[in-house]
């Protein structure tokens, strides 16, 4: 009997077999290699993009240089006695007192209600504003702002107080911060843009008026025009119990230039002719923690000409803090510093001022001779040229001169 071993295999089984040419499996390593290649490409694109972003970022240097004399700077002491003068007699020490330990009442930390503290500071500032004590009002408002930099009532009082002082650059800065709050600005969300535009219009007119006065001053015998002044009475305030101040009428755009305060001197820098000036610094102590000593320093940097574009990448800032130790020695600080602009996207567009905020903190040490805060040096550069410098105390400018 013949046996035929051949048999027919269905075509469907051949096509569905694992080794069939029509069935191709993608290995996992191939997909993993694609993901790694894509990740590397994204990282390279991010690095290239950061190069362009860093070119337009303001450079801030807080590394305080040591004294230029090769040793620590020692402040002048009292004059030494004459050679023939004997040594002063040592003071008699009081008899030692033995303290008996007693069990006193326990002192528990009392929680601070920041909301109520801000409300009290705003109320105090309102009272000062009504009395015309603008300096005291600023102190209270800046303390409230240091607790909560986005508090709506505080920002509005600061904007209106700046308007009362005809400080349009400062007013525009605060109105801009209210606009940036968006929906959190509440009822002010509708009116803040127009108040911001009015403040910028005043600032532009003040800049042009100052420039015209320098180029072509009026004749000495020409009668002065009567310009309505802006004072505290022009700002309408509510009763102290009101949650928000009454809206100040927006000044209409008129042909007569608005009243302006004397513009501080500014230095022209850069080939573009941009000019800066720095408004007076504001120093507000930090409260709420007795174990720390600190303060917030605010330096408003204002463009001198709103029509000139400023490249933030060409702006350089050096802010150095110094401490004093035993023997009157001045040394670079070792305190904790936080220095940054309040506006994360610095631009100085349309004459907008940008505020540099520095926070100085160190442990409070009442021990005599312990390291303590002494002062600071601030220098502003544009395109490598020194624009303005200041210090507190002023003697630090000569003790730590600018590097050539």
């Amino acid at each position: 009997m013949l046996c035929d071993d051949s048999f027919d295999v269905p075509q469907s089984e051949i096509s569905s077999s694992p080794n069939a040419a029509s069935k191709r499996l993608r290995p996992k390593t191939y997909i993993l290699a694609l993901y790694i290649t894509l990740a590397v490409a994204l990282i390279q694109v991010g690095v290239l993009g950061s190069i362009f972003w860093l070119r337009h970022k303001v450079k801030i240097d807080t590394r305080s240089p040591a004294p230029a004399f090769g040793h620590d700077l020692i402040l002048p002491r009292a004059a030494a006695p004459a050679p023939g003068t004997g040594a002063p007699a040592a003071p008699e020490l009081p008899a030692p007192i033995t303290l008996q330990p007693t069990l006193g009442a326990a002192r528990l930390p009392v929680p601070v209600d920041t909301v109520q503290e801000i409300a009290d500071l705003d109320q105090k500032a309102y009272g000062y504003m009504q009395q015309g004590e603008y300096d005291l009002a600023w102190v209270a408002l800046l303390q409230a702002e240091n607790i909560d930099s986005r508090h709506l009532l505080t920002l509005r009082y600061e904007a209106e107080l700046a308007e009362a002082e005809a400080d349009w650059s400062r007013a525009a800065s605060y109105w801009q911060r209210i606009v940036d709050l968006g929906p959190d600005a509440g009822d002010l969300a509708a009116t803040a843009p127009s108040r911001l535009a009015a403040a910028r219009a005043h600032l532009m007119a003040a800049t042009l008026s100052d420039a015209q006065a320098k180029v072509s001053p009026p004749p000495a015998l020409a009668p002065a025009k009567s310009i309505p002044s802006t004072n505290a009475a022009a700002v309408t305030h509510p009763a102290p119990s009101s949650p928000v101040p009454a809206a100040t009428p927006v000044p209409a755009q008129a042909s007569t230039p608005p009243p302006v305060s004397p513009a501080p001197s500014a230095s022209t820098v850069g080939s573009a002719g941009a000019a800066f000036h720095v408004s007076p610094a504001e120093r507000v102590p930090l409260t709420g923690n007795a174990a720390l000593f600190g303060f917030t320093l605010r330096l408003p940097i204002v463009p001198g000409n709103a029509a000139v574009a400023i490249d933030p990448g060409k702006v350089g800032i050096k802010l150095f803090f110094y401490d004093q130790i035993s023997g009157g020695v001045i040394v670079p600080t070792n305190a904790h510093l936080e220095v940054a602009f309040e506006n994360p996207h610095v631009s100085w567009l349309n004459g907008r001022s940008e505020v540099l905020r520095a926070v100085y903190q160190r442990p409070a040490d009442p021990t005599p001779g312990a390291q303590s805060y002494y002062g600071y040096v601030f220098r502003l550069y544009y395109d490598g040229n020194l624009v303005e410098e200041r210090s507190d105390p002023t003697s630090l400018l000569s003790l730590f001169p600018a590097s050539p």
Side-chain angles (χ1 to χ4, degrees):
M1 181 179 181
L2 297 176
C3 180
D4 189 2
D5 294 338
S6 64
F7 58 93
D8 295 332
V9 179
Q11 187 67 25
S12 60
E13 294 184 8
I14 297 177
S15 62
S16 61
S17 62
N19 298 327
S22 60
K23 183 69 173 180
R24 299 186 182 275
L25 298 178
R26 292 180 298 176
K28 293 183 179 180
T29 55
Y30 177 71
I31 298 176
L32 183 60
L34 286 178
Y35 287 154
I36 293 177
T37 304
L38 180 61
V40 171
L42 291 177
I43 292 175
Q44 291 178 344
V45 171
V47 171
L48 290 176
S50 64
I51 294 176
F52 295 99
W53 177 74
L54 290 174
R55 287 170 121 185
H56 298 280
K57 187 177 180 181
V58 177
K59 295 175 286 293
I60 302 177
D61 183 10
T62 58
R63 297 168 298 178
S64 305
F69 308 101
H71 54 78
D72 291 334
L73 176 66
I74 302 179
L75 296 180
R77 302 181 182 179
T85 305
E92 296 183 359
L93 298 178
I97 301 176
T98 304
L99 299 178
Q100 298 295 333
T102 58
L103 182 62
R107 296 184 179 180
L108 300 178
V110 180
V112 178
D113 186 356
T114 57
V115 176
Q116 183 60 41
E117 186 176 1
I118 293 175
D120 294 341
L121 290 171
D122 288 341
Q123 183 67 33
K124 185 185 300 184
Y126 168 79
Y128 288 139
M129 291 165 65
Q130 297 298 311
Q131 300 171 12
E133 298 288 346
Y134 290 168
D135 292 339
L136 296 178
W138 276 120
V139 172
L141 289 174
L142 291 174
Q143 288 179 352
E145 182 186 349
N146 189 61
I147 300 174
D148 184 0
S149 60
R150 292 171 57 88
H151 193 268
L152 182 60
L153 180 59
T154 302
L155 294 176
R156 179 166 187 172
Y157 272 133
E158 289 173 320
E160 294 189 343
L161 182 56
E163 288 179 346
E165 294 181 326
D167 189 347
W168 303 114
S169 175
R170 199 176 194 179
S173 175
Y174 283 115
W175 284 121
Q176 180 65 56
R177 291 172 62 181
I178 294 176
V179 171
D180 294 341
L181 292 178
D184 295 338
D187 297 338
L188 284 179
T191 58
S194 60
R195 301 288 289 273
L196 174 61
R200 288 177 174 174
H202 280 291
L203 180 62
M204 179 69 72
T207 304
L208 295 177
S209 177
D210 183 65
Q212 292 175 358
K214 292 180 179 180
V215 174
S216 56
L221 299 179
K225 292 185 178 181
S226 176
I227 298 177
S229 61
T230 302
N231 48 35
V235 180
T236 304
H237 295 290
S241 59
S242 301
V244 294
T248 307
V250 179
Q253 301 296 328
S255 58
T256 305
V260 297
S261 57
S265 60
S267 303
T268 303
V269 295
S271 58
F276 286 100
H277 65 263
V278 182
S279 300
E282 302 162 357
R283 179 179 163 185
V284 181
L286 298 178
T287 58
N289 190 349
L292 288 177
F293 166 80
F295 58 88
T296 298
L297 183 69
R298 300 177 74 253
L299 292 162
I301 303 175
V302 186
N305 189 350
V308 177
I310 295 175
D311 183 3
K314 296 183 179 180
V315 178
I317 290 175
K318 293 185 178 181
L319 182 58
F320 305 141
F321 288 88
Y322 292 93
D323 294 341
Q324 182 176 358
I325 59 177
S326 60
V329 179
I330 303 301
V331 296
T333 186
N334 61 355
H336 175 70
L337 300 177
E338 296 178 5
V339 182
F341 280 94
E342 294 181 353
N343 175 22
H345 306 289
V346 180
S347 63
W348 287 283
L349 291 177
N350 301 321
R352 171 177 177 171
S353 62
E354 302 290 354
V355 180
L356 182 68
R357 178 193 291 259
V359 179
Y360 175 103
Q361 285 183 319
R362 69 175 309 105
D365 189 356
T367 306
Q371 186 165 347
S372 59
Y373 169 76
Y374 181 76
Y376 72 91
V377 176
F378 170 80
R379 290 186 173 95
L380 176 63
Y381 294 83
Y382 189 80
D383 201 12
N385 299 317
L386 180 62
V387 177
E388 186 169 339
E389 60 180 357
R390 64 176 56 182
S391 68
D392 182 25
T394 55
S395 58
L396 284 178
L397 285 180
S398 57
L399 296 177
F400 299 94
S403 57

